[in-house]
Amino acid sequence: MRRPLVMLRAGLAAALPGEPVLRTGHVLAVSSLVNAGLGFFFWTFATHWYDERTVGLSYSALMASLLLTGVGQLNLNDFLVRFVPTAGRRSRRLVLACYAASTAFSVVVALAFLALVPVVSPGLDFLLTPVTATCFVVATAGYAVFILQDGALTAVRMPGWVVGENLIFAVVKILLLALGAALGLFSGILLSWAGALVVSLIVANSVLMGRGIPRHERETRAAPPPPRMLGYAAADYLGSLFRVAAYTVVPLIVLNTIGAEQSAYFSVAWGVAYVPYLIARNMGTSLLAESVRGPGRLVQHSLRVLRHSGLLLGGVTVVIVVAAPQILSLFGASYAAEGSTLLRLLALSALPNLLLSVAIDVARARRRLRWAVGLQAAMCVLVLGLTRLLLPEFGVVGAGVAWLVTQCVIAVFLAVSWSRWLVPVTEGSP
């Protein structure tokens, strides 16, 4: 058994690029593809085992949970990626402090949301039963730590375990979904997420705390704590709130504007189209982590990430655009009929998003947080405003148009202002 695993690991190592920024980025991209592939099966099963209304309500509830996770985890994932690589023997304390802060705040915001459900989203009133409310809070707090552990694993150069944790989460989630369907549970989708998160967190953090952080603390010399770390965290958190809102509020707008069934169609299409968004995000995370270790190579790393990611995203986007009806038909004929055009628009929007993603991480590496916050705020305002404007006229396709127009407008701005954010400069200390 051990020999095949060694051979598989050696084969993967040979196939991946030698440059750390690309190697880590590719491993994280593989993690996203694995998670998306198994997530595809998850939602395929969900659409066959539950009706459209249940799928739409459950997905909207999960998007609300992810929105609250984005608020509650305080964007400490990127904080860990930025500061753990040079933390040395302070690494464990830094990770545990971030875990504690994000868990506590996520529980608070989840409970506050549940209290406000009758006012802000009456369609989600099924969350107010004791079982579903508990699962919702667990899913929100658990996913906050799940995101943070990705950052910690990346920071200590264990991206392979990001793949592992996502694999565990996806497989357990499908198994629990089947159990919930067999028992006829209306909240089976939400229950499966909460349970799978608990299992994944236990396994991944055993590896992180038992192997990853001790090795990192032995091998890394601690640099003096950078100045104004809390100011960095606060500004980066503000920017992340805009990004998370853009990603997670749209399904709620669709639900409240044109109904649960249309929300289901949007949700499935977004779940597929979000794969290239995740690839760009993961390559940016790798760029940030490696640029902290070698600030003088930031521009070089950025250009390499743009070049390699552009080719990868181009291929993925072509596949999605060409095969959109066939992909969505696996969820059911109604999903293919209602969502194919939407899926194509969302997939195309991922290409200009790559430029936005890299620009944000370059700003983080250089601690130019006003620039990063401004870009994410612009994306949020444009996509939410256009979605609300276009839904009544174009239906669910209007949300796809809103995403494509938003990303193209920002990409054109970044291309025109290239000299403001991606030019060789004297890099500061990490």
Side-chain angles (χ1 to χ4, degrees), residues 69-297:
T69 294
V71 175
Q73 62 105 356
L74 301 169
N75 203 43
L76 294 175
N77 168 57
D78 291 323
F79 182 84
L80 291 175
V81 173
R82 178 64 178 78
F83 293 110
V84 166
T86 57
R89 296 192 177 277
R90 301 190 307 273
S91 299
R92 184 183 297 271
R93 292 199 307 273
L94 189 59
V95 171
L96 291 177
C98 290
Y99 277 12
S102 67
T103 299
F105 196 47
S106 294
V107 169
V108 170
V109 296
L111 292 173
F113 176 80
L114 290 175
L116 294 173
V117 159
V119 177
V120 300
S121 190
L124 298 179
D125 58 357
F126 76 97
L127 292 174
L128 301 181
T129 64
V131 172
T132 52
T134 300
C135 289
F136 185 80
V137 173
V138 170
T140 302
Y143 209 77
V145 178
F146 188 85
I147 293 171
L148 263 61
Q149 74 185 12
D150 280 1
L153 288 165
T154 302
V156 300
R157 285 184 168 172
M158 294 186 72
W161 266 99
V162 177
V163 181
E165 67 170 6
N166 278 290
L167 184 62
I168 293 168
F169 174 56
V171 171
V172 175
K173 188 169 58 175
I174 291 173
L175 294 176
L176 293 178
L177 179 72
L179 178 62
L183 296 175
L185 298 176
F186 173 78
S187 56
I189 295 175
L190 189 58
L191 283 166
S192 68
W193 273 68
L197 279 170
V198 172
V199 174
S200 177
L201 290 174
I202 292 172
V203 175
N205 278 286
S206 297
V207 174
L208 175 64
M209 298 298 174
R211 289 167 44 193
I213 289 180
R215 185 190 63 190
H216 178 71
E217 290 182 338
R218 288 193 307 268
E219 297 176 354
T220 305
R221 179 180 299 175
R228 300 184 301 279
M229 289 177 66
L230 290 179
Y232 175 99
D236 201 32
Y237 175 57
L238 176 61
S240 76
L241 292 180
F242 289 114
R243 184 184 69 247
V244 170
Y247 289 165
T248 57
V249 171
V250 172
L252 299 178
I253 295 177
V254 175
L255 173 65
N256 291 330
T257 305
I258 53 179
E261 288 189 6
Q262 295 299 316
S263 177
Y265 300 139
F266 174 83
S267 301
V268 169
W270 175 250
V272 176
Y274 191 54
V275 173
Y277 273 80
L278 279 176
I279 292 173
R281 171 92 171 132
N282 289 331
M283 293 298 292
T285 298
S286 176
L287 169 65
L288 179 59
E290 295 302 324
S291 296
V292 171
R293 290 183 169 94
R297 302 184 65 193

Side-chain angles (χ1 to χ4, degrees), residues 303 306 351-360 371 375 406-423:
L303 293 173
L306 282 171
L351 290 175
N353 173 258
L354 173 61
L355 198 58
L356 171 61
S357 180
V358 170
I360 291 170
W371 180 254
L375 289 173
T406 295
Q407 298 297 342
C408 288
V409 167
I410 295 176
V412 169
F413 168 75
L414 290 171
V416 171
S417 60
W418 188 273
S419 61
R420 292 186 59 189
W421 62 274
L422 191 63
V423 291

